Amino acid sequence: SQRPIADLRRHAWRCRHERLGILIALRNTKFVLARSFKTISPPPPNFIPNQGMEYVMDFVLNGEIQDIPDEWAEESLLNLLRDHFGLVGAKYGCGACSVIVDGVATRSCITLAESIEGAEVRSIEGLAKGGALHPVQQAWLDLAVPQCGYCQAGQIMSAVALLNEIPSPSEADIDAAMDGNLCRCGTYGRIRAAIRHAAIQRAAEAT
């Protein structure tokens, strides 16, 4: 059976408007793309990509800008510090590798060197300033914390990060921050006492 004339007209009208909508959408897309491409400045006529240029990764280490050589990019931060920069305070094992990256205590043994590009890294060697020990380092000496000393650089760096974030930490804060920093000699009591001592000394110096 033949469709009524009115239905055919409605169908034609609908198809015409659908085509018109498609054309408008295409025109708008073309306009947006054209504007987008116009915002990109063309390179100079004599530009040759990568000629004479080498990408260099760098970061701030103990207050100084340092490069990360390409051959060290996929090494651990711990290896980079120890074997490339000669900073051997951080050591292998259960928190002994701790350094501070952008204010956060970080396990350098599981941190890729390339991941610290643009970051600020501080190791135990960068704590003392002008010949004066950091308050946490001084507290460690005042309370005779170390025994064998193997893990103490990592313990100190974790404690410094804690006190920078929480100047007057609770016992729970100390436990949470120092969790994962193991001491084979079992000096945990002295470590916690030294953190409390350093917090008190810093508060006194601030007043």
Side-chain angles (χ1 to χ4, degrees):
S1 61
Q2 294 184 347
R3 297 176 64 181
I5 296 297
D7 288 349
L8 291 174
R9 287 175 177 173
R10 280 195 295 269
H11 178 72
W13 181 86
R14 186 164 54 249
C15 290
R16 186 166 59 251
H17 276 262
E18 287 175 354
R19 287 197 299 272
L20 180 60
I22 293 171
L23 289 174
I24 292 173
L26 289 173
R27 186 194 65 184
N28 290 341
T29 301
K30 184 178 179 181
F31 176 72
V32 171
L33 289 174
R35 290 195 62 183
S36 299
F37 284 119
K38 285 180 181 179
T39 61
I40 302 175
S41 300
N46 59 347
F47 176 76
I48 301 177
N50 296 327
Q51 184 178 27
M53 294 186 295
E54 182 179 352
Y55 180 73
V56 177
M57 292 186 291
D58 57 29
F59 71 113
V60 178
L61 175 59
N62 295 331
E64 297 183 0
I65 298 176
Q66 302 286 357
D67 292 341
I68 304 173
D70 290 343
E71 62 271 23
W72 288 91
E74 295 184 0
E75 292 285 341
S76 70
L77 174 56
L78 179 61
N79 287 343
L80 179 71
L81 294 176
R82 290 180 60 85
D83 299 333
H84 180 66
F85 290 107
L87 302 177
V88 297
K91 297 178 174 62
Y92 299 91
C94 302
C97 65
S98 297
V99 296
I100 297 175
V101 179
D102 289 338
V104 179
T106 303
R107 304 291 188 257
S108 62
C109 67
I110 57 173
T111 302
L112 280 178
E114 64 183 0
S115 72
I116 62 163
E117 181 184 9
E120 182 174 351
V121 177
R122 190 162 299 276
S123 68
I124 188 73
E125 292 86 354
L127 280 186
K129 293 183 179 179
L133 293 176
H134 187 279
V136 174
Q137 291 175 303
Q138 189 61 55
W140 248 246
L141 290 180
D142 293 344
L143 275 69
V145 173
Q147 190 162 319
C148 81
Y150 184 87
C151 69
Q152 296 304 316
Q155 303 276 6
I156 287 172
M157 298 309 290
S158 293
V160 170
L162 166 63
L163 294 179
N164 286 343
E165 182 181 2
I166 308 174
S168 298
S170 65
E171 291 298 317
D173 293 330
I174 295 174
D175 289 342
M178 305 306 292
D179 184 43
N181 286 79
L182 302 186
C183 176
R184 299 173 184 176
C185 302
T187 63
Y188 299 112
R190 295 202 296 271
I191 288 171
R192 282 157 174 73
I195 293 173
R196 293 191 295 270
H197 180 71
I200 293 171
Q201 291 299 113
R202 288 181 54 167
E205 292 173 2
T207 57

